[in-house]
Amino acid sequence: MGAVPVLTATASASASASAKGNAGTAATTTAVVDPAARRQTIRGFGGMTHAAWIGDLTAAQRDTAFGTGEGRLGLSVLRLPVPENRADWSRDVATAKRAAELGATVFASPWNPPAHMVETFVHGSQTNARRLRHDMYGAYARHLNDFNAFLRNHGVNLYGISVQNEPDYAHDWTWWTPGELVRFLRENAGSLGTRVIAPESFNYTKTISDPILNDPAALANVDIIGTHLYGTPFRNFPYPLFKQKGAGKELWMTEVYYPDSTSSADLWPQALDVAEHLHHAMVDAEFQAYVWWYIRRSYGLLREDGRISKRGACMAHFARFVRPGYVRIEATATPAPNVYVSAFQGGSSIVVVATNKTTSPVSQQFTLKHSTASRISSWLTDASRNVAFQGTTGMSNGSFTVTLPARSVTTFVTA
């Protein structure tokens, strides 16, 4: 077993100084959480199901993925494919219905239009590249609407639908240029009967989404700017143009696995990279949704046997406790090198997620400004534990000090 987190009420910064004497712990600056400094509203944390490619989740796996109790992931977003063939539309309905019953937001992304709407062309060295025929834009919008209606008739109300999955990385599916996306959004997306998501670039290439933000008519018909984060460095996470022109729109990260798809999701401490990635996605990029690729996979949130993986546990530190409608609030993001802190508020509850990627325990003081909370509970994931409840302790004047074990992620919730 690793070091157990030690929670103590803290009346002043002097208590933090005294904690420096704890054997084997490093000291940090105080992490200040300010509920008055409100940032983005969180839609949720989720994952992808794709029955045609990897088989459907079982009933038990659906409950593990979307349930919120102990031993559950707490996912609140589900992404579905939009199959090009109507005969395949029912494949993911069972999982979508159960996720919706458990309160999840459901959205869908297409890889290809129906074959009769597509033409081939030369794209670099690819001589059989595919694109949507320009005279089929209206028919394609009706196809997306029909899928939306099909799900609604089967008890699932889509929150939104994407125009195209990864239009800029489409060697095996359908290419779209930025100009084609803008044209479809201007001329056809207004007819879609649910929220519209675009452009879902595979690595947050801003030259794919900038033209949408810079075209008022196209932007008017988009509700969610969506992207993927494959290979995207943290320095590219902020999006100043979205902040400038995206008022009233949502910003979602709609697909990623991290750091790779070749390692076991239980490899530790590599799985701790997921917690850091989530931190930067929430704090630097200010995404409102964060969606993993396959929910169940060797590198996924659930292992193939349906048990929560180490990567899944790191996701659960956000997903289970930061619920839809919570608002990210300002917090000292890096009170020490390789220590990452984010904070969220839902009603009177404040959630703080702290990731310690160092190889030593860290003594960390937290101060919650303007807080009247008197107690705080915590959950821990480290090499030997997965989102393990660590108990509840008192707070003094909105402050507490904790020893964060080496290579761990801890979620604190006020009571």
Side-chain angles (χ1 to χ4, degrees):
M1 298 287 283
V4 176
V6 179
L7 283 163
T8 59
T10 307
S12 67
S14 62
S16 179
S18 67
K20 295 177 183 178
N22 291 347
T25 62
T28 64
T29 59
T30 300
V32 178
V33 177
D34 186 2
R38 295 166 66 86
R39 301 297 181 242
Q40 76 270 27
T41 299
I42 303 303
R43 178 61 54 191
F45 303 85
M48 176 88 189
T49 188
H50 201 311
W53 289 358
I54 62 165
D56 200 2
L57 299 178
T58 67
Q61 290 164 1
R62 294 167 194 145
D63 287 352
T64 300
F66 296 97
T68 57
E70 296 292 332
R72 302 289 191 258
L73 282 172
L75 301 184
S76 52
V77 178
L78 173 66
R79 183 180 185 227
L80 306 173
V82 181
E84 57 194 270
N85 297 317
R86 291 172 180 257
D88 298 328
W89 283 1
S90 62
R91 282 178 168 166
D92 297 292
V93 166
T95 291
K97 288 183 69 172
R98 183 57 179 154
E101 288 170 358
L102 293 171
T105 294
V106 182
F107 75 101
S109 300
W111 270 246
N112 292 299
H116 71 276
M117 300 182 189
V118 174
E119 64 184 3
T120 59
F121 71 110
V122 176
H123 186 278
S125 60
Q126 187 179 3
T127 58
N128 62 341
R130 284 175 287 184
R131 67 184 173 202
L132 179 65
R133 287 167 41 188
H134 288 175
D135 64 340
M136 287 289 179
Y137 279 25
Y140 182 54
R142 289 190 292 274
H143 169 74
L144 298 180
N145 263 335
D146 288 347
F147 181 76
N148 179 43
F150 175 86
L151 284 185
R152 186 172 60 249
N153 291 337
H154 286 77
V156 179
N157 292 319
L158 281 185
Y159 185 84
I161 199 163
S162 173
V163 175
Q164 172 66 48
N165 171 74
E166 296 181 348
D168 53 338
Y169 191 75
H171 303 84
D172 296 320
W173 43 87
T174 302
W175 295 94
W176 291 65
T177 66
E180 288 168 339
L181 286 166
V182 166
R183 175 181 170 181
F184 180 85
L185 293 170
R186 287 173 60 100
E187 298 178 4
N188 303 98
S191 68
L192 297 180
T194 186
R195 294 172 186 83
V196 178
I197 304 169
E200 288 202 283
S201 165
F202 84 101
N203 69 348
Y204 213 4
T205 301
K206 307 299 198 299
T207 54
I208 307 298
S209 48
D210 282 356
I212 298 171
L213 290 167
N214 285 322
D215 188 297
L219 186 60
N221 289 332
V222 172
D223 301 280
I224 301 162
I225 297 295
T227 190
H228 301 173
L229 290 179
Y230 293 112
T232 309
F234 294 147
R235 66 178 180 274
N236 290 348
F237 276 26
Y239 198 179
L241 187 64
F242 179 83
K243 284 198 166 187
Q244 178 187 348
K245 298 192 173 183
K249 311 299 178 181
E250 298 186 52
L251 185 64
W252 288 19
M253 196 291 295
T254 56
E255 182 188 313
V256 79
Y257 53 74
Y258 188 84
D260 59 40
S261 62
T262 56
S263 302
S264 165
D266 283 324
L267 185 64
W268 192 266
Q270 187 202 61
L272 198 57
D273 290 349
V274 174
E276 182 188 359
H277 198 259
L278 276 153
H279 167 87
H280 290 293
M282 295 294 105
V283 175
D284 300 341
E286 298 189 74
F287 290 123
Q288 295 167 264
Y290 182 104
V291 182
W292 195 262
W293 181 224
Y294 294 133
I295 295 172
R296 186 199 64 228
R297 206 63 171 163
S298 62
Y299 55 87
L301 307 176
L302 298 181
R303 305 180 338 181
E304 289 291 359
D305 63 3
R307 296 176 61 186
I308 294 175
S309 69
K310 284 293 187 184
R311 291 183 181 182
C314 289
M315 173 82 105
H317 274 275
F318 291 83
R320 264 185 60 191
F321 305 100
V322 182
R323 302 304 298 167
Y326 278 42
V327 175
R328 187 177 72 85
I329 54 180
E330 197 61 41
T332 305
T334 51
N338 291 311
V339 175
Y340 304 97
V341 174
S342 57
F344 309 83
Q345 184 173 29
S348 61
S349 179
I350 292 176
V351 178
V352 178
V353 184
T355 300
N356 175 19
K357 292 192 73 180
T358 71
T359 57
S360 301
V362 168
S363 177
Q364 182 62 59
Q365 180 182 359
F366 296 88
T367 296
L368 280 54
K369 297 175 68 173
H370 319 298
S371 175
T372 59
S374 60
R375 300 185 67 78
I376 193 157
S377 301
S378 66
W379 288 259
L380 170 73
T381 293
D382 60 7
S384 59
R385 289 165 285 193
N386 282 358
V387 205
F389 181 57
Q390 300 299 293
T392 301
T393 191
M395 297 171 57
S396 178
N397 297 323
S399 292
F400 64 97
T401 296
V402 62
T403 297
L404 303 173
R407 291 174 168 167
S408 68
V409 55
T410 309
T411 296
F412 305 95
V413 181
T414 61

